[in-house]
Amino acid sequence: MRVGILTGGGDCPALNAVIRAAVKTSIGYGWEVVGVEEGFDGLVHCRTRPLSTASVSGILHLGGTILGTSNAGDPFKYPVEENGRKVERDISDRVVENFHKLEIDALIVIGGDGSLGIAQKFFEKGVPLVGVPKTIDNDIGGTVITFGFDTAVNTARDALDKLHTTAESHRRVLAVEVMGRHAGWIAVHSGIAGGADVILIPEIPYDIEKVCESILEREKKGKHFSIVVVAEGAFPKGGSLTHRAVKEAGSEQRLGGVAERVAAEVTRLTGKESRVVVLGHLQRGGPPTTFDRVLGTRFGSAAARLVRKGLFGRMVALMPPDVDSVPIRDAIGQMKRVPLDNDILESARDMGISFGD
Ligand code: F6P
């Protein structure tokens, strides 16, 4: 048995913990393991390397991925240059051919919604594969939580702790932009833990007047500073997302800048001085937390077990207290957003946190 492992999409703390566990478990079964480099691009260009117990030694605590990754280069919409223009073409048949050429019997795809969507299409083309859900955004369906989320939340919470004192000293409004394209999980969790006063998330389009009301309400109570946590995918009622750049062929539209927009409007409407901090990719790096190392290890090992049982087309998933599996098709079909009727938002509101609604 020769098993391939690839990491696709944005990197995420504990990817190496997953790789390590999948490799060690597979080797324990007596299998050979190859690492596919830089996501699906490694299969486009046949870039692989053997993975041994020695290759995964000492990586448990490291952020990033030893295999490299990419969130561009979907083989079903591959960017190619034609007549001086970048266009998207379907080169998936070439990838299936390469998969057989590399003599891989089964593939473990560790990726987010995008990479798992690509994996599902290859599975439908006959490639035997299993999935491992990965995202700091925690928005993949089918699993209660993804590894990387806890580390990202801790990074954001740590930043909020630090920003609190400077905001208070200068009587400013600090708008802190965190990641979260489609879901506000990082914003909600870090905001509650970091004592935010306003949290803006994609699930609740905000009204800037309401944001300002709660800041001015705090002023009246003698609280002359406010912390506003803004998910990058938050947008105003009746308005649109804030994009950082024009979308390029083969890659996702980049978001960013909404905190800047919120801060400028808060200053205009309240007269209060504001500052903006965009945490960006800081949230994707660093050593994974204990929780993420354990979850990553459980996911990696469980993925090898799925391969052993021949349960292809399935994704490992945390269903406490167990790690089980669900069809990849089902998981990618249901994005996990912050539920509006959950006690987490109710408790946050009880703490006086405004969601700008
Ligand atoms: O999906 C995870 C994520 O962190 C999103 O929140 C963010 O929009 C995206 O990755 C940014 O990815 P990159 O800058 O690597 O293209």
Side-chain angles (χ1 to χ4, degrees):
M1 184 75 169
R2 192 169 140 88
V3 132
I5 302 181
L6 76 74
T7 51
D11 69 342
C12 173
L15 271 172
N16 284 328
V18 181
I19 297 170
R20 172 179 175 269
V23 169
K24 285 185 139 196
T25 307
S26 300
I27 289 175
Y29 294 152
W31 299 346
E32 206 182 307
V33 190
V34 288
V36 178
E37 291 173 357
E38 281 162 62
F40 286 99
D41 232 31
L43 285 179
V44 172
H45 302 290
C46 286
R47 278 199 310 264
T48 61
R49 72 173 114 121
L51 290 178
S52 62
T53 311
S55 7
V56 295
S57 170
I59 66 167
L60 176 62
H61 61 290
L62 300 179
T65 158
I66 57 162
L67 295 174
T69 189
S70 162
N71 47 11
D74 171 355
F76 293 87
K77 282 192 258 163
Y78 201 74
V80 289
E81 195 136 328
E82 278 177 15
N83 306 324
R85 240 169 30 99
K86 255 195 179 176
V87 289
E88 295 174 346
R89 294 279 175 258
D90 182 350
I91 60 157
S92 56
D93 286 339
R94 184 165 127 204
V95 169
V96 177
E97 268 169 41
N98 288 348
F99 175 81
H100 294 302
K101 213 188 285 170
L102 290 163
E103 297 181 327
I104 299 173
D105 299 302
L107 189 64
I108 296 176
V109 178
I110 312 166
D113 206 48
S115 305
L116 291 173
I118 297 170
Q120 173 62 24
K121 290 198 218 161
F122 279 120
F123 173 62
E124 286 164 14
K125 275 178 163 280
V127 176
L129 56 82
V130 301
V132 178
K134 167 249 43 148
T135 170
I136 62 163
D137 291 357
N138 194 34
D139 58 1
I140 300 180
T143 181
V144 165
I145 204 162
T146 43
F147 63 88
F149 171 64
D150 188 60
T151 307
V153 168
N154 272 297
T155 299
R157 195 267 312 134
D158 182 49
L160 293 178
D161 286 350
K162 289 170 179 156
L163 293 169
H164 242 104
T165 46
T166 174
E168 187 163 13
S169 306
H170 287 268
R171 299 188 162 202
R172 284 171 176 155
V173 172
L174 240 309
V176 187
E177 188 168 304
V178 298
M179 280 188 171
R181 267 186 107 72
H182 310 286
W185 292 107
I186 297 179
V188 169
H189 281 246
S190 65
I192 291 175
D197 306 297
V198 179
I199 302 176
L200 304 180
I201 57 176
E203 291 85 346
I204 307 177
Y206 67 85
D207 176 346
I208 197 69
E209 304 276 348
K210 298 276 182 198
V211 173
C212 292
E213 255 171 44
S214 70
I215 291 169
L216 292 174
E217 202 51 46
R218 280 174 56 76
E219 285 287 318
K220 277 195 220 141
K221 290 182 191 147
K223 294 282 191 184
H224 301 291
F225 71 100
S226 285
I227 303 285
V228 182
V229 176
V230 191
E232 63 181 345
F235 58 93
K237 261 185 199 154
S240 53
L241 291 168
T242 315
H243 295 147
R244 195 162 278 293
V246 179
K247 187 187 173 316
E248 275 184 32
S251 43
E252 270 211 88
Q253 173 73 63
R254 286 180 64 201
L255 298 183
V258 60
E260 189 76 55
R261 189 169 162 185
V262 168
E265 283 170 343
V266 164
T267 297
R268 184 174 60 83
L269 295 168
T270 66
K272 281 204 69 70
E273 197 181 4
S274 61
R275 290 290 186 270
V276 179
V277 176
V278 178
L279 294 182
H281 295 80
L282 261 183
Q283 297 157 98
R284 293 235 298 251
T289 58
T290 305
F291 179 88
D292 283 340
R293 293 179 200 197
V294 175
L295 186 61
T297 301
R298 293 175 76 189
F299 273 7
S301 182
R305 283 197 292 278
L306 279 187
V307 172
R308 182 147 90 151
K309 291 181 193 149
L311 293 174
F312 298 119
R314 297 186 73 84
M315 174 193 98
V316 299
L318 181 66
M319 299 178 189
D322 301 313
V323 166
D324 208 321
S325 71
V326 292
I328 297 176
R329 184 190 347 103
D330 293 354
I332 54 175
Q334 37 162 316
M335 176 154 297
K336 193 178 68 212
R337 308 184 86 209
V338 178
L340 300 184
D341 55 358
N342 185 263
D343 74 280
I344 194 161
L345 293 193
E346 203 181 338
S347 303
R349 290 188 199 273
D350 287 344
M351 296 304 105
I353 297 174
S354 161
F355 287 89
D357 60 342

